Amino acid sequence: MDKKRLAIGRPNPAAGNGLLDRRHLFGAAAAGSMAALISRPVVAAAGELAVEPWMRELGSPFVGYGQPSRFEAKVVRVSSTAPGTTGTGASRTPHHLLDGTITPSGLHFERHHSGIPDINPDAHRLLIHGLVKRPLVFTLETLARYPVESRIAFIECGGNSGALYQKDPAAGGMQALHGLVSCAEWTGVRLADLLDEAGADPKAKWILAEGADEAGMSRSVPMAKAMDDAILALYQNGERIRPSNGYPLRLLLPGYEGNMNVKWLRRIKVTEGPTMTKDETSKYTISLPDGKALQFVFPIEAKSVITHPSPGLSMKGVGLYEISGLAWSGYGKISKVDVSADGGKSWAAAALQEPVLAKALTRFRAAWRWNGGPAILQSRATDDSGYVQPTRARLIADRGMKTIYHFNGIASWAVGQNGEVTHVYA
Amino acid sequence: MDKKRLAIGRPNPAAGNGLLDRRHLFGAAAAGSMAALISRPVVAAAGELAVEPWMRELGSPFVGYGQPSRFEAKVVRVSSTAPGTTGTGASRTPHHLLDGTITPSGLHFERHHSGIPDINPDAHRLLIHGLVKRPLVFTLETLARYPVESRIAFIECGGNSGALYQKDPAAGGMQALHGLVSCAEWTGVRLADLLDEAGADPKAKWILAEGADEAGMSRSVPMAKAMDDAILALYQNGERIRPSNGYPLRLLLPGYEGNMNVKWLRRIKVTEGPTMTKDETSKYTISLPDGKALQFVFPIEAKSVITHPSPGLSMKGVGLYEISGLAWSGYGKISKVDVSADGGKSWAAAALQEPVLAKALTRFRAAWRWNGGPAILQSRATDDSGYVQPTRARLIADRGMKTIYHFNGIASWAVGQNGEVTHVYA
């Protein structure tokens, strides 16, 4: 085995910044000296392992529904609410403390407008009406008789990363700045089947979707999307959707901005045009420098963020680190993620974790040898439409800084000589 | 639109038993009359929808870690323990109340030998020793510096479905009979990297893996498997593994019987041969009719079970139903699942939910028009090695009835004229 290969480092020719070709890390031939580059584990004499107290006593009994370890109590969503309210605001996923691509349902981000309704599923109804031949009311039991499908999909709030439109770099890290995106396996009935069933009028180009919260939060959705891949989701990550994510029924519009994925869905009205609700007029529109605004910007453009390292996860000594993050596109599959450690001067391709699924979070990973000096980490996603995630400067040149919505520019983490990681513009 | 297509039913030519070709259900052209075959939803006048109490008041505030609805309190694991113990036994996943392929971590099946240890992750160590050049001790922090990978994988207890070896059909349904299988996204470090790091002796053909529970549960694993796709899992479904599933570290051996996926992993010893622990000698061996026993039967053969309908989920009126279930193979991907409604006389191919992943649960679905008469539902999985799930009779002819392990014969649910579903042999 050629142990020297990895020790030498074999930097990616495309990068002069310590980024390594991952193939050299994963081949058995190369792994022998990985620890030298990481931080050599303690070499122990056999039998030295302590018998810890939990091996000296019987463990705890079975419970019907398991919970995380008490030692993980810090792994929670962090929420912020409008003044004077407890349920109007958002909570953010702590991606810097997670790994993989599925977001546990208890940590899926939330955006509520009047808190979380406590819906009795036996009383809940879905009405489909408007420009239809046959208005229909469904119970959950009737809905569940229709053919069902599952898909793993991300949901991202239109306001995620909105702080990066500000002039000065906001404090905070992955959770505070980019925590309004999550990913789950959703299972439910195809909306197209129900609209066919109701006999939607061919001249109807939109639907209105309304939630059963106190706000009656509602959004207009193009009929083309409703007939394409919209799902009335009953299950999230295998179990019934949790109240904070829309129990018992949520509209899933894969790849469309989060607000349109109406929770607690109670009503779909087939309409000729959009209904112009509050959340598509005064909110979720992109104000441009010239005073105009972009309305009905639905799909999320390709985007990526590095979750490890990120602020709060400091570097501990020079050597090898895995840079890891999440990429997604509302238009399809992620085809490539490039990573830079020098603020975008040079790039190296990251490995994408299989399976890469359309409109789902994709985990990317790249090996990086930190030499102890300052560095600026960035990631840049490309999707299978060929679209490349823009720099922040490019995005702002196009769109200005008057909005908080649909920020998908490249984000930057600075690594200081002390190993601390902070949010910067670069 | 040709509304008659579905109304006529167009049964699959292969099946004379009401099974329908799913393509006709999903085409927009066919969907118009689906409700007529299901159970016609109430036709409602627009505006008739009641404004329920939860729309008249503010909902509940944000919480750091969400939980299921109080209306889903019945969706729990059911456990059974050895006499005089609270933590030696197993708990089973309620697949009849779930859908999709991911099992929520709180409902993942468990098999414990001395309860669930309460491990402090800062004190936890992993020792790699035995026939190695460099014995190594890892903290979790050191481990996390190695390259990480994710995969969605099932784990099935070797004793799952063991009651089907009994002479008379056991009472109970999906959870009681087949609930010892679950599926999650696991993320961690490749064991091969660490064994390379330690310099495992080429003549060592096995490893021993030991857990940090009071039982010190341990199993021998072939080195070939350890070097192939074994993962030291730190995360399950995105978050740190829960205590009941091995917090903070679990050995994941994709496709191998559950017991070998050692929880609370503390020690890996590289050995020349197997260690002959309790759980691979007196347990987890297959007793044959001639008094001999099969030892070291590791991968799970291709298998499938229908989850919907199944006992406890009764049929409500004649008409269209979706038959849905789970299929898996420890050897690779599921390539086909056939479904029968007449006890195996005729079969129709079910649709497989994409993505179909190797060594992961695969959801299959088929449309069935129940005519109100008695029926016997079965599913039969084929994997990409060409292996076909055997009938129960065939399996027992080969293996006898003295064991409880590795039952993968075809299971049967009987539908009675009253719509009740029961476990039978057929």
Side-chain angles (χ1 to χ4, degrees), chain B residues 211-223:
Chain B
D213 57 337
E214 196 260 7
M217 214 294 294
S218 54
R219 286 293 302 263
S220 302
V221 179
M223 179 63 85

Side-chain angles (χ1 to χ4, degrees), chain A residues 22 25-26 28 31-35 37-39 41-44 46-47 49-52 54-72 75-77 79 81 86-91 97-104 106-107 110 112 114-121 123 125 127 129 135-138 141-142 145-150 152 185 187 190 193 196-197 211-214 216 235 237-240 242-243 247 266 316 319-322 353 355 357 365, chain B residues 22 25-26 28 31-35 38-39 41-44 46-47 49-52 54-72 75-77 79 81 86-91 97-104 106-107 110 112 114-121 123 125 127 129 134-138 141-142 145-150 185 187 190 193 196-197 211-214 216 235 237-240 242-243 247 266 316 319-322 353 355 357 365:
Chain A
R22 186 176 163 93
L25 294 176
F26 283 102
S33 54
M34 206 179 290
L37 283 173
I38 295 177
S39 56
V42 179
V43 175
L49 207 56
V51 176
E52 297 289 348
W54 46 83
M55 290 195 73
R56 299 179 191 275
E57 58 186 20
L58 284 170
S60 60
F62 291 88
V63 295
Y65 198 100
Q67 297 295 338
S69 164
R70 65 190 177 95
F71 293 101
E72 300 296 323
V75 185
V76 290
R77 298 178 291 209
S79 60
T81 51
T86 59
T88 300
S91 77
L97 303 176
L98 306 180
D99 207 330
T101 61
I102 297 290
T103 307
L107 296 173
E110 308 155 90
H112 306 314
S114 292
I116 305 165
D118 180 33
I119 297 181
N120 178 342
R125 296 289 181 274
L127 170 66
H129 69 150
L136 299 171
V137 173
F138 294 88
E141 200 176 325
T142 313
R145 289 285 297 277
Y146 281 74
V148 162
E149 68 177 39
S150 301
I152 295 175
E185 184 194 47
T187 298
R190 292 182 70 236
D193 287 344
D196 275 337
E197 187 64 45
D213 57 337
E214 197 260 8
Y235 299 86
N237 292 337
E239 66 189 348
R240 292 282 180 176
R242 295 182 174 191
Y247 181 84
R266 72 186 292 266
K316 288 176 183 156
L320 196 68
Y321 286 82
E322 183 162 87
Q353 181 70 60
L357 303 174
R365 298 188 166 106
Chain B
R22 185 175 165 95
L25 294 176
F26 282 103
S33 54
M34 206 179 290
I38 296 178
S39 58
V42 178
V43 174
L49 207 57
V51 176
E52 298 289 348
W54 46 82
M55 289 196 74
R56 299 180 189 274
E57 59 186 21
L58 284 170
S60 60
F62 291 87
V63 295
Y65 198 98
Q67 298 295 338
S69 164
R70 65 190 178 95
F71 293 100
E72 300 296 323
V75 185
V76 290
R77 298 178 292 207
S79 60
T81 52
T86 59
T88 301
S91 77
L97 302 175
L98 307 179
D99 207 331
T101 61
I102 297 290
T103 307
L107 296 174
E110 308 156 272
H112 305 315
S114 292
I116 305 165
D118 180 34
I119 298 181
N120 178 342
R125 296 290 180 275
L127 170 66
H129 69 151
R134 295 172 290 279
L136 299 171
V137 173
F138 294 88
E141 199 175 326
T142 313
R145 289 286 297 278
Y146 281 75
V148 162
E149 69 178 39
S150 302
E185 184 194 47
T187 297
R190 293 184 69 235
D193 288 344
D196 275 337
E197 186 65 46
D213 57 337
E214 196 260 7
Y235 298 85
N237 292 336
E239 67 189 347
R240 291 282 181 176
R242 294 183 173 191
Y247 181 86
R266 73 187 290 266
K316 289 176 183 155
L320 196 68
Y321 286 82
E322 183 162 88
Q353 181 70 61
L357 302 174
R365 299 189 166 106

Side-chain angles (χ1 to χ4, degrees), chain B residues 49-308:
Chain B
L49 207 57
V51 176
E52 298 289 348
W54 46 82
M55 289 196 74
R56 299 180 189 274
E57 59 186 21
L58 284 170
S60 60
F62 291 87
V63 295
Y65 198 98
Q67 298 295 338
S69 164
R70 65 190 178 95
F71 293 100
E72 300 296 323
K74 66 186 182 302
V75 185
V76 290
R77 298 178 292 207
V78 172
S79 60
S80 51
T81 52
T85 78
T86 59
T88 301
S91 77
R92 292 164 160 81
T93 299
H95 285 293
H96 60 304
L97 302 175
L98 307 179
D99 207 331
T101 61
I102 297 290
T103 307
S105 301
L107 296 174
H108 196 288
F109 91 87
E110 308 156 272
R111 171 78 177 96
H112 305 315
H113 300 259
S114 292
I116 305 165
D118 180 34
I119 298 181
N120 178 342
D122 295 334
H124 188 74
R125 296 290 180 275
L126 172 69
L127 170 66
I128 298 184
H129 69 151
L131 298 174
V132 298
K133 286 204 189 77
R134 295 172 290 279
L136 299 171
V137 173
F138 294 88
T139 63
L140 293 177
E141 199 175 326
T142 313
L143 258 190
R145 289 286 297 278
Y146 281 75
V148 162
E149 69 178 39
S150 302
R151 80 176 289 164
I152 295 176
F154 77 83
I155 299 180
E156 182 181 23
C157 178
N160 195 29
S161 315
L164 276 73
Y165 280 116
Q166 295 170 14
K167 187 160 177 288
D168 298 314
M174 183 64 213
Q175 184 168 21
L177 301 176
H178 309 291
L180 295 173
V181 61
S182 303
C183 186
E185 184 194 47
W186 303 91
T187 297
V189 176
R190 293 184 69 235
L191 177 53
D193 288 344
L194 303 186
L195 289 172
D196 275 337
E197 186 65 46
D201 188 326
K203 77 168 182 286
K205 299 300 178 210
W206 290 75
I207 64 167
L208 174 76
E210 181 188 72
D213 57 337
E214 196 260 7
M217 214 294 294
S218 54
R219 286 293 302 263
S220 302
V221 179
M223 179 63 85
K225 180 68 175 177
M227 296 302 290
D228 175 16
D229 59 1
I231 291 175
L232 304 185
L234 293 157
Y235 298 85
Q236 179 183 7
N237 292 336
E239 67 189 347
R240 291 282 181 176
I241 291 179
R242 294 183 173 191
S244 59
N245 280 293
Y247 181 86
L249 191 63
R250 178 176 203 166
L251 177 61
L252 180 75
L253 301 173
Y256 274 30
E257 65 175 6
N259 181 252
M260 301 175 74
N261 294 260
V262 175
K263 297 192 291 260
W264 316 298
L265 186 70
R266 73 187 290 266
R267 188 163 71 97
I268 286 180
K269 185 176 184 182
V270 176
T271 58
E272 205 161 337
T275 300
M276 300 297 178
T277 69
K278 172 177 77 69
D279 284 291
E280 60 209 23
T281 50
S282 75
K283 305 284 181 188
Y284 298 99
T285 55
I286 299 177
S287 298
L288 297 175
D290 64 3
K292 294 186 177 178
L294 296 172
Q295 192 177 23
F296 303 134
V297 177
F298 298 145
I300 299 289
E301 293 279 16
K303 181 170 173 179
S304 66
V305 190
I306 293 170
T307 58
H308 306 77

